[in-house]
Amino acid sequence: MKPKVILTQYYQDEPIAQLRRDFELVIVEGSGKSIAQVVKENPDAQALIPFLSEKIGKDIIDLGKNLKIIANYAVGYNNIDVAYAKERHIWVTNTPDILTPATADIAMALILSVSRRIIESDQFLREGKFNGWGANLMVGKALNGATLGIIGMGRIGLATALRAIGFEMNIVYYSRTRRQDLEQQYHFTYMPFLDLVSASDIVSLHIPSSPQVKHLFNKEVFDLMKKDAIFINVARGDLMDEAYLAEKLEKNELFGAGLDVYELEPKVHEKLLQLKNVVLLPHIGSATDKSRLGMAQMTIDNVKQALAGQTPQNIVAEFKM
Ligand code: DGY
């Protein structure tokens, strides 16, 4: 008998065919049932593959009587109660590396879109307002010579910084672990967190979400940013006080912001939707054909390894401690 695997939503056809070949596959999407119901009805399932938008808490983990692995289809895994899974000896894995270039591209795309007012300009033209070249038409912020403050010099932070070098930006960073190797190789400058916030022309967030850093960007921190600075978040929405950011943007106390993530996803703060100085994306950081296929493959590889009694290749940090 093939081992049973629960996939919460459809991903690409090829990896789904692969899952069907090797496992008895149960897909939650389209069943009209919740994840909890499906897990409850399939207590023999040995693996669960969830999406980042789905909360996998103690309740669901307890229903998975025979679960050996929760293979998250994302690099971030704040949707999973990892401590409890670990207590229950259930592996938790994620999909690092494969989505790094795509996510860094989106950070860079947001930096460009906000600084050069790309979306606003496109809308302006479509509304028939382009009546000729003008010295003051859609003037944005120069990137060359600007200081980009990277918060979190992990894989995606670094990939974003390397892209920004191509735009002649100066890179400053704050990270839990100081990277003197990168400082030497790329002339990055390390700064304490609050110093970085007040010194940067663009602040870009690249740290994982956790209860300790909820609203890392609160009123006090946002208020340290330069009045003409740009705030970029492609990490997680709960790292920022979204309502306060909206208030600041409305009062033009920042040049702009570019967001791919939101505090109460998929809800977006009502005020942000009315503003021209913010570019809003629907959490598409990893959304390229290449990275989404690679992410799916990683979930399958991790499941196969766990069910074969091996340590899966992408266990999350908490399992390495
Ligand atoms: C992830 O995988 O955690 C990213 O947020 C996807 O964009």
Side-chain angles (χ1 to χ4, degrees), residues 52 74-76 95 99 103 234-236 260 283-286 292 295:
L52 63 86
V75 67
T95 60
L99 48 66
T103 311
V234 297
R236 283 293 180 270
D260 188 38
H283 203 152
I284 55 167
S286 66
R292 288 287 164 85
M295 288 161 69

Side-chain angles (χ1 to χ4, degrees), residues 158-178:
L158 173 60
T160 304
L162 295 181
R163 281 157 176 70
I165 290 174
F167 288 85
E168 300 170 46
M169 300 176 77
N170 304 316
I171 311 298
V172 300
Y173 78 100
Y174 167 76
S175 217
R176 252 186 333 193
T177 315
R178 184 135 176 210

Side-chain angles (χ1 to χ4, degrees), residues 2 27 55 69 182 230 236 247 285 316:
K2 290 179 183 175
I27 301 181
K55 191 168 160 37
I69 178 168
L182 301 177
I230 292 171
R236 283 293 180 270
E247 207 177 305
V316 301

